[in-house]
């Protein structure tokens, strides 16, 4: 048997051994949620606002068109003054005005937002001029045009067409775009998609029977990882269009994101089932100072869904020691190398976490009982306040070099019991701290919502 076949067989075997209710990947959505619509939707009417029965907080619907989606959790959706928020809809890019609570269509057509500038009233977007064949197929994007779009006028500035790669981030001073390029296409979600969700992973188990959503996703991820496809992370100069390779690898490179504050710093991941990879890395745009942010030291330890604090100094990530048993929100300060680990209870584990612009508050979007935490009562949007566990009267002489433990004090903000977690809620704080935005299919179609803080 060839080495490549051995790698694939080993990876798939490892994944299949892990496929049971006690061991689902941390980033795998629910597979068999069968929730009914909430009472307010019994006549097919999706409310524009309501008071959450648990928190007594007001929730407002931000989107008008069914299957509209707020952005991925680390892709900025807001203008810096909190005035406007962008979202993706079947008709194009939609704009929500928080000052008037009104909607408008910023760009009509096959557009997809990359992110909003942190300093300018513009968003960066892709426009598909042909069939979209999958984000991992980064060598077929000669049918994608990139634009900077003014907010709120909608005036467009054409940036270019860049076929070798899928661009996912813009740097802090609006000079560079960044993304990843793969030399081979792998269809991660073959077969029919699931309505009102973010995907449709499917695969057969060793017994020939269909695997559920989460199991199929882990198997497809293991297959993709084992292929060792040559990849690279690259930047594009927004003014000149010049393309520059940052780093090359046969590891699966993904989740490329610029620091919100340092225009020269990139974070990315080694993708795959989390227990099989050292996931979180940073690198400078010149390819120097490559750094592994977290080193696994325990079998079945996992870390992932990494994101920056808004001052660019700290990396946050989901950490489990081991997977599905002990839950932390971990941080690493890029300047001081100090680490903080904040403990969470099983029900508080979340698919994604997020931080407010001032760094004082955190949030999580919860999860259902089939996910990695196996939480029996975890379907909530949470607000978290970080608390450091203080030293006793006499500190250890090497305390400054050790991990600083803490815990998260939680408050339930939104009841998500009617949400199907095959849709990731993808939290974002508004810059002024007044709203927490998320996406949900709790009423059937996907919509963008905000809970008042």
């Amino acid at each position: 048997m060839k080495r490549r076949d051995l790698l694939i067989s080993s990876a798939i075997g490892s994944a299949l051994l892990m496929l049971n209710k006690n061991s689902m990947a941390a980033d795998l959505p629910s597979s068999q949620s069968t929730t009914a619509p909430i009472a307010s939707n019994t006549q097919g009417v999706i409310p524009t606002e309501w008071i959450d029965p648990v928190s007594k907080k007001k929730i407002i619907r931000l989107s008008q068109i069914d299957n509209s989606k707020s952005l991925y959790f680390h892709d900025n959706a807001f203008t810096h003054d909190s005035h406007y928020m962008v979202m993706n809809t079947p008709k194009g890019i939609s704009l929500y005005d928080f000052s008037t609570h009104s909607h408008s269509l910023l760009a009509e057509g096959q557009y997809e937002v990359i992110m909003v500038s942190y300093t300018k009233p513009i968003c960066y977007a892709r426009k598909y001029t042909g069939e979209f064949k999958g984000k991992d197929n980064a060598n077929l994007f000669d049918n994608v045009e990139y634009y900077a779009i003014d907010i709120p006028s909608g005036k467009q500035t054409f940036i270019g067409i860049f076929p070798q790669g899928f661009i996912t981030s813009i740097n802090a001073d609006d000079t560079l775009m960044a993304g990843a390029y793969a030399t081979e296409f792998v269809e991660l979600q073959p077969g029919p998609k699931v309505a009102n969700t973010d995907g449709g992973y499917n695969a057969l188990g060793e017994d020939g029977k269909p695997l559920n959503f989460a199991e199929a996703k882990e198997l497809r991820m293991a297959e993709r990882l084992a292929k060792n496809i040559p990849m690279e992370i690259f930047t594009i100069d927004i003014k000149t269009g010049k393309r520059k390779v940052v780093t090359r690898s046969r590891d699966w490179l993904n989740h490329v994101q610029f620091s919100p504050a340092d225009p020269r710093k990139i974070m990315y991941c080694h993708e795959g089932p989390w227990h099989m990879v050292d996931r979180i890395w940073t690198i400078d745009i010149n390819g120097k100072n490559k750094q592994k942010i977290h080193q696994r030291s325990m079998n079945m330890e996992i870390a992932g869904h990494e994101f920056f604090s808004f001052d660019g100094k700290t990396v946050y990530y989901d950490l489990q020691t081991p997977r599905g048993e002990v839950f932390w929100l971990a941080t690493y300060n890029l300047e001081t190398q100090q680490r903080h680990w904040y403990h969470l209870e099983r029900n508080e584990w979340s698919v994604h976490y997020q931080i407010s612009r001032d760094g004082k508050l955190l949030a999580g979007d919860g999860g259902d009982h089939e996910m990695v935490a196996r939480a029996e009562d975890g379907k909530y949007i949470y607000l978290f306040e970080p608390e450091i566990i203080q030293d006793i009267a006499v500190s250890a002489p090497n305390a400054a070099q050790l991990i600083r433990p803490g815990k998260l004090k939680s408050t339930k903000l939104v009841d998500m019991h009617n949400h199907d977690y095959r849709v990731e809620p993808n939290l974002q704080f508004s810059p002024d701290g007044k709203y927490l935005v998320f996406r949900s299919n709790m009423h059937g179609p996907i919509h963008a919502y905000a809970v008042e803080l």
Side-chain angles (χ1 to χ4, degrees):
M1 185 178 289
K2 295 181 179 179
R3 180 178 179 271
R4 175 176 168 180
D5 294 332
L6 283 168
L7 285 170
I8 295 174
S9 177
S10 176
I12 295 173
S14 296
L16 286 170
L17 286 173
M18 296 306 303
L19 298 181
N20 56 63
K21 289 188 177 180
N22 293 328
S23 58
M24 292 190 179
D27 57 352
L28 302 181
S30 170
S31 58
Q32 296 176 342
S33 298
T34 55
T35 56
I38 66 171
S40 58
N41 194 35
T42 55
Q43 302 302 319
V45 177
I46 300 176
T48 57
E49 63 179 59
W50 71 95
I51 302 300
D52 184 84
V54 176
S55 68
K56 310 305 179 186
K57 298 286 187 180
K58 183 179 179 180
I59 302 171
I60 56 176
R61 175 160 56 90
L62 306 180
S63 51
Q64 289 184 311
I65 304 169
D66 286 355
N67 293 316
S68 297
K69 299 179 181 180
S70 56
L71 301 195
Y72 192 57
F73 80 109
H74 62 54
D75 299 334
N76 181 44
F78 290 88
T79 53
H80 66 281
D81 58 3
S82 297
H83 199 124
Y84 297 103
M85 189 197 86
V86 298
M87 68 191 91
N88 292 311
T89 82
K91 292 186 178 181
I93 300 172
S94 180
L95 193 65
Y96 187 82
D97 185 336
F98 275 91
S99 65
T100 62
H101 295 285
S102 60
H103 310 77
S104 60
L105 198 60
L106 185 68
E108 185 175 4
Q110 289 186 288
Y111 288 90
E112 183 179 49
V113 180
I114 300 172
M115 58 178 284
V116 177
S117 168
Y118 289 108
T119 59
K120 300 178 181 179
I122 59 174
C123 76
Y124 297 91
R126 315 173 189 95
K127 182 180 182 181
Y128 300 107
T129 58
E131 181 184 359
F132 174 61
K133 297 184 178 181
K135 295 180 181 180
D136 192 43
N137 190 8
N139 58 332
L140 289 183
F141 291 122
D142 53 356
N143 64 339
V144 180
E145 300 172 349
Y146 290 88
Y147 291 88
I149 305 175
D150 180 74
I151 299 173
S153 72
K155 180 181 178 181
Q156 299 186 13
T157 301
F158 178 67
I159 298 175
I161 299 172
F162 310 104
Q164 290 188 318
F166 193 73
I167 293 168
T168 58
S169 190
I170 314 297
N171 70 348
D173 63 5
D174 298 274
T175 58
L176 295 174
M177 311 168 79
Y181 168 61
T183 59
E184 180 183 333
F185 170 61
V186 176
E187 175 57 79
L188 288 175
Q189 301 189 52
K193 307 306 179 187
V194 180
N196 297 330
T197 72
D198 285 332
Y201 287 92
N202 56 85
L204 299 179
E206 289 186 321
D207 59 3
K209 296 180 180 179
L211 299 173
N212 66 32
F213 181 93
E215 294 167 345
K217 181 172 183 179
E218 181 151 339
L219 180 59
R220 296 298 184 194
M221 299 279 278
E223 290 175 339
R224 168 63 179 84
L225 176 66
K227 289 181 179 295
N228 299 121
I229 296 171
M231 292 194 71
E232 60 191 31
I233 291 174
F234 64 92
T235 60
I236 299 287
D237 186 294
I238 290 176
K239 286 186 177 181
T240 67
K242 183 178 180 181
R243 186 182 190 277
K244 182 178 179 181
V245 175
V246 177
T247 187
R248 291 185 173 93
S249 177
R250 283 186 175 269
D251 294 306
W252 183 3
L253 307 176
N254 202 4
H255 283 254
V256 178
Q257 53 183 299
F258 272 111
S259 162
D262 183 348
R264 299 181 58 82
K265 183 68 68 177
I266 291 174
M267 182 159 60
Y268 64 99
C269 80
H270 287 180
E271 188 65 274
W274 290 7
H275 64 283
M276 298 173 69
V277 294
D278 287 319
R279 178 177 165 110
I280 309 167
W281 298 77
T282 58
I283 194 170
D284 292 343
I285 58 174
N286 59 8
K288 297 180 179 180
N289 298 319
K290 183 185 294 186
Q291 181 180 7
K292 184 192 303 181
I293 298 301
H294 180 86
Q295 175 64 56
R296 292 175 298 145
S297 59
M298 178 188 299
N299 187 38
M300 296 310 299
E301 176 179 338
I302 62 173
H305 278 166
E306 57 286 340
F307 62 99
F308 283 104
S309 61
F310 283 91
D311 62 9
K313 296 179 180 179
T314 303
V315 174
Y316 285 74
Y317 56 97
D318 176 6
L319 173 64
Q320 298 173 36
T321 56
R323 164 176 154 168
E325 296 298 331
V326 182
F327 306 93
W328 309 88
L329 179 60
T331 78
Y332 175 72
N333 188 293
L334 296 170
E335 295 181 350
T336 67
Q337 290 78 56
Q338 178 67 57
R339 296 183 185 273
H340 291 85
W341 290 10
Y342 298 99
H343 184 257
L344 301 101
E345 298 300 326
R346 184 177 297 277
N347 283 336
E348 296 166 343
W349 172 84
S350 297
V351 181
H352 296 114
Y353 301 93
Q354 188 52 273
I355 190 170
S356 60
R357 300 295 172 110
D358 62 9
K360 294 180 180 179
L361 294 174
L362 295 157
D365 52 15
D368 69 22
H369 68 282
E370 293 185 347
M371 303 176 84
V372 65
R374 307 184 303 279
E376 292 301 321
D377 187 28
K379 297 179 74 170
Y380 298 95
I381 300 293
Y382 291 99
L383 188 69
F384 296 122
E385 295 180 62
E387 297 179 350
I388 293 294
I389 297 174
Q390 299 298 332
D391 293 356
I392 58 174
V394 179
S395 299
N398 63 338
Q401 286 76 49
L402 301 177
I403 296 167
R404 193 76 188 271
K407 57 185 178 180
L408 295 181
K409 178 183 177 182
S410 68
T411 301
K412 295 174 180 176
L413 288 178
V414 182
D415 185 340
M416 298 286 281
H417 280 82
N418 288 311
H419 176 76
D420 182 339
Y421 272 85
R422 283 177 291 191
V423 172
E424 299 175 345
N426 285 303
L427 301 171
Q428 292 204 21
F429 283 93
S430 62
D432 61 10
K434 293 182 179 179
Y435 297 95
L436 188 60
V437 170
F438 61 98
R439 68 174 77 157
S440 177
N441 57 10
M442 64 174 68
H443 301 99
I446 303 171
H447 276 277
Y449 300 93
V451 55
E452 290 186 348
L453 298 177

